[in-house]
Amino acid sequence: MPINNTIAFVCGKTGCGKSFLMNSLIQREYELRRRAGIVILDLHGDHLNVINHPEFRYLRVSGDMVRRYKFDWEGILKKYPYIIIETDKIDQAGYQKLGNDIAAALVEVRDRAFFLEEAHLCFPIHDTIRGGFGILVTTGRKLGIDFYFITQRPSTVNTTAVSQANVRISFVLDDINDLQRMRGHFPPEVDLSSLKRFEFVGYNVFTHKMVKGSTDNVSVVDDLINN
């Protein structure tokens, strides 16, 4: 019997409120203890405020460290179930490798919520999803892993990854390619082009539930994810 979990894709232009929503979801995951730990891969340091919680550990990984060292991510994640990993001077290849290595470790550790920023760097549109990410997005339901991946350019994210998301949330998008891409992942009656800054629409593929909210009311996402 599969373990119920969430695979959520969140998109929207820069400055529309994605990080605010993610911080709220991280706080909610922590409060509810839905999983035994939370792992955040944070390229730009957008979620560092959650380290105010005493259980969270902070780790900085540079591009040079990714190239030079082999990390025991399985051991690290077992030792620090609540962890923020911030990167420094890392290129796309390094970020993709880092994310994939962490995803592979999560497959072994299980029972975690994983928040991944800049998904377009890890799931490029023309690449095949493989390794740890491949297992996460295709069989994660059996592993008890909640996976949230976020981007400002959905048109550059691998189609398979987005299609696997059972929860889809879109903030305002001003690029025609991004709008066209996301329209295919929402029911036809949803008008993504009408969204204003800080507004979002969310859709649960399994329950067919739809919500509309804003950074003033992110609690509607709880209902979308948990029901």
Side-chain angles (χ1 to χ4, degrees):
M1 190 77 179
I3 299 171
N4 184 42
N5 79 326
T6 298
I7 299 180
F9 177 62
V10 182
C11 65
K13 64 180 289 185
T14 301
C16 66
K18 297 188 304 300
S19 294
F20 183 90
L21 174 63
M22 286 300 99
N23 278 332
S24 298
L25 292 175
I26 291 166
Q27 298 278 2
R28 192 67 173 149
E29 283 276 0
Y30 181 82
E31 291 166 2
L32 293 177
R33 300 298 202 278
R34 282 167 31 106
R35 300 298 177 200
I38 298 172
V39 181
I40 306 165
L41 182 51
D42 185 5
L43 185 63
H44 301 300
D46 291 328
H47 306 298
L48 297 185
N49 65 320
V50 297
I51 62 173
N52 292 326
H53 292 300
E55 286 186 277
F56 267 96
R57 297 294 181 269
Y58 167 80
L59 178 65
R60 170 168 282 184
V61 177
S62 69
D64 186 57
M65 291 168 69
V66 170
R67 288 189 297 271
R68 287 180 159 206
Y69 305 112
K70 182 174 176 59
F71 287 86
D72 174 19
W73 285 111
E74 187 176 340
I76 291 171
L77 299 183
K78 285 179 178 177
K79 184 176 181 180
Y80 303 119
Y82 294 90
I83 187 169
I84 300 174
I85 303 155
E86 187 196 8
T87 60
D88 179 56
K89 296 179 181 177
I90 195 166
D91 59 14
Q92 178 172 345
Y95 191 69
Q96 188 175 37
K97 181 182 185 308
L98 177 62
N100 211 6
D101 287 348
I102 292 169
L106 283 167
V107 168
E108 300 301 323
V109 174
R110 306 190 178 195
D111 197 24
R112 298 287 190 272
F114 182 28
F115 291 82
L116 172 73
E117 287 281 358
E118 309 296 345
H120 55 283
L121 299 180
C122 287
F123 303 128
I125 184 71
H126 297 301
D127 277 11
T128 301
I129 302 177
R130 51 190 178 272
F133 279 135
I135 299 172
L136 258 189
V137 300
T138 57
T139 62
R141 290 187 60 76
K142 299 176 182 177
L143 306 176
I145 299 172
D146 294 326
F147 183 34
Y148 300 81
F149 56 111
I150 307 106
T151 186
Q152 66 267 25
R153 293 301 314 276
S155 63
T156 65
V157 179
N158 184 282
T159 303
T160 300
V162 180
S163 298
Q164 289 292 326
N166 56 299
V167 173
R168 296 144 190 195
I169 299 172
S170 179
F171 284 83
V172 62
L173 296 163
D174 59 0
D175 181 88
I176 188 63
N177 294 316
D178 292 333
L179 273 170
Q180 288 177 346
R181 175 69 182 283
M182 289 313 296
R183 281 173 179 148
H185 294 285
F186 282 87
E189 65 270 20
V190 177
D191 182 11
L192 297 177
S193 63
S194 68
L195 291 171
K196 297 180 176 60
R197 191 182 183 191
F198 304 130
E199 291 181 339
F200 62 84
V201 62
Y203 175 59
N204 188 312
V205 176
F206 293 154
T207 64
H208 304 292
K209 183 161 190 172
M210 195 98 58
V211 300
K212 188 171 182 180
S214 70
T215 51
D216 290 329
N217 181 23
V218 299
S219 63
V220 295
V221 178
D222 283 345
D223 197 30
L224 187 71
I225 290 174
N226 296 317
N227 293 286

